[in-house]
């Protein structure tokens, strides 16, 4: 055995990996004080925030007495539509949002809804079993461009935290190699990372990281000549991540000496957990608002819960008096079942609406309308009623300064009478209609956000109606 190579691999490659994992802490959280920054303030800020709710939404059949009040999708269509109680909290924002139905990812239509959160923002064909391979998520495509203007390229959050498992994601965000980006779930850690990190500590870590990268790249070039073809491929993949880190180091140099934003935190309970679900969810939304307001980042994702009733997020229904969230989706045929499920989805609509209203009430610096006018909010699920992978419930809000038009309910495909449990023949016939790829909307969103692209996630075009 070549002891020199073994020592090199274990000592310096592990150190290089450690730097790669640490550097994102300093890669892109923006100070609002552009006057002292070396990065010029852009003329227009564009933001993207994506939110995922698991387990579908209430969609009783039209013949069901609960349909009128508790069907998630509005009644009517076009600009003439009425919210039910599920979306009633968004009434004051009706002219700021578009409700979309009849969109889904073709690669997921035959996959059970419990496995679909992974591909919600990617549109990838991850399959229901066997080999798992994902692709980059919508937010990270935009973050690759918008992140150059801010201290942090993106803020990745979820109620359960981490990455979860393949087909059981606890994060909405995936990098360009399709790898899950761990989500943060503790409000205090998010706040501290945004507003408390010591610039001296950052500078010290930055210097160490630069030295480690120099050593790592030098040693790796000589090491590659001694490796097999398979190992060379593995090394090339690793070196690509190192190059990405080197880019982040160069970027971090521009921010390390700039002061972090100072924001009041007395109104926040930063130690809250999902055991106090309403306060917890509201705090997570507030952290995104603060990150946007201070221009610390322009890209955020928040996965409200994991599919299949796993993890701390299954307790969020306690905010409205129920024990477990996922259980509500399986009790809709019991007396009051649709109302119970609808009451929970109304709670989530309320918190989303409060966040959007706060953006709407905050003037944009430079007299460019409100923060909501320059922020595109995307809210929805890859599962409809009974965890079906069709007819995703979706809301697009804000972004008027990007050319989005709202105050409408857009329904694509032929609307079924109502969704029944899988296995029911009526369900099969009612769902036999053509839906548009959700990625058509994603390409439209990316283009309006300023990303030059005509393709993403298997799209077949764009969605000009928005």
């Amino acid at each position: 055995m070549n002891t020199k190579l073994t020592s090199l691999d274990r000592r310096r490659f592990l150190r290089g990996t450690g730097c790669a994992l640490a550097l994102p802490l300093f890669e892109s959280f923006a100070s609002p004080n552009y006057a002292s920054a070396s990065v010029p303030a852009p003329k227009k800020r564009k933001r993207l925030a994506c939110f995922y709710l698991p387990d579908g939404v209430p969609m009783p059949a039209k013949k069901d007495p609960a349909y009128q009040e508790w069907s998630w999708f509005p009644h009517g269509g076009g600009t003439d539509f009425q919210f039910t109680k599920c979306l009633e909290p968004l009434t004051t924002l009706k002219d700021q949002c578009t409700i979309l139905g009849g969109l889904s990812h073709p690669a997921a239509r035959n996959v059970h809804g419990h496995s679909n959160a992974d591909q919600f923002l990617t549109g990838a064909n991850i399959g229901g079993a066997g080999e798992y391979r994902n692709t980059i998520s919508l937010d990270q495509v935009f973050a690759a461009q918008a992140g150059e203007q801010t201290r942090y390229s993106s803020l990745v959050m979820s109620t359960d935290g981490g990455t979860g498992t393949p087909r059981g994601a606890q994060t909405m965000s995936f990098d360009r190699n399709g790898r899950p980006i761990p989500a943060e779930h503790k409000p205090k850690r998010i706040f501290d990372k945004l507003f408390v990190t010591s610039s001296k500590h950052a500078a010290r870590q930055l210097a160490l990281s630069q030295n480690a990268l120099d050593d790592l790249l030098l040693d790796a070039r000589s090491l590659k000549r001694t490796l097999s073809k398979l190992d060379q491929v593995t090394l090339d993949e690793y070196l690509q991540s190192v190059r990405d880190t080197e880019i982040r180091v160069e970027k971090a140099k521009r921010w390390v000496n700039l002061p972090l934003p100072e924001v009041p935190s007395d109104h926040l309970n930063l130690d809250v957990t999902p055991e106090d679900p309403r306060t917890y969810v509201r705090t997570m939304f507030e952290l995104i608002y603060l990150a946007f307001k201070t221009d610390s980042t322009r890209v955020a994702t928040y996965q409200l819960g994991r599919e299949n009733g796993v993890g701390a997020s299954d307790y969020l229904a306690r905010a409205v008096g129920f024990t477990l969230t996922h259980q509500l989706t399986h009790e809709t045929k019991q007396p009051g079942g649709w109302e119970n499920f609808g009451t929970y989805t109304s709670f989530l609509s309320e918190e989303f609406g409060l966040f959007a209203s706060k953006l709407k009430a905050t003037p944009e610096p430079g007299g460019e309308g409100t923060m909501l006018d320059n922020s595109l909010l995307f809210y929805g699920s890859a599962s409809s009623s009974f965890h079906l992978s069709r007819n995703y419930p979706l809301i697009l809000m804000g972004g008027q300064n990007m050319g989005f038009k709202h105050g409408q309910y857009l329904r694509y495909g032929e609307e079924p009478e109502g969704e029944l449990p899988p296995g029911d023949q009526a369900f099969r016939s009612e769902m036999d209609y053509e839906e548009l790829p959700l990625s058509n909307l994603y390409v439209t969103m990316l283009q309006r956000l300023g990303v030059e692209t005509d393709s993403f996630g298997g799209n077949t075009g764009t969605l000009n109606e928005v």
Side-chain angles (χ1 to χ4, degrees), residues 26 151 196-208 255-260:
F26 319 116
R151 190 180 296 268
V196 179
T197 303
S198 165
S199 59
K200 291 183 178 180
H201 174 72
R204 184 169 60 253
Q205 288 297 106
L206 183 60
L208 291 173
W255 298 99
V256 71
N257 292 321
L258 297 178
L260 288 166

Side-chain angles (χ1 to χ4, degrees), residues 28 116 183 227 232 268 276 407 414 422 446:
S28 20
N116 278 354
L227 300 177
Q232 287 181 24
L268 296 174
D276 182 1
E414 182 181 337
L446 288 171

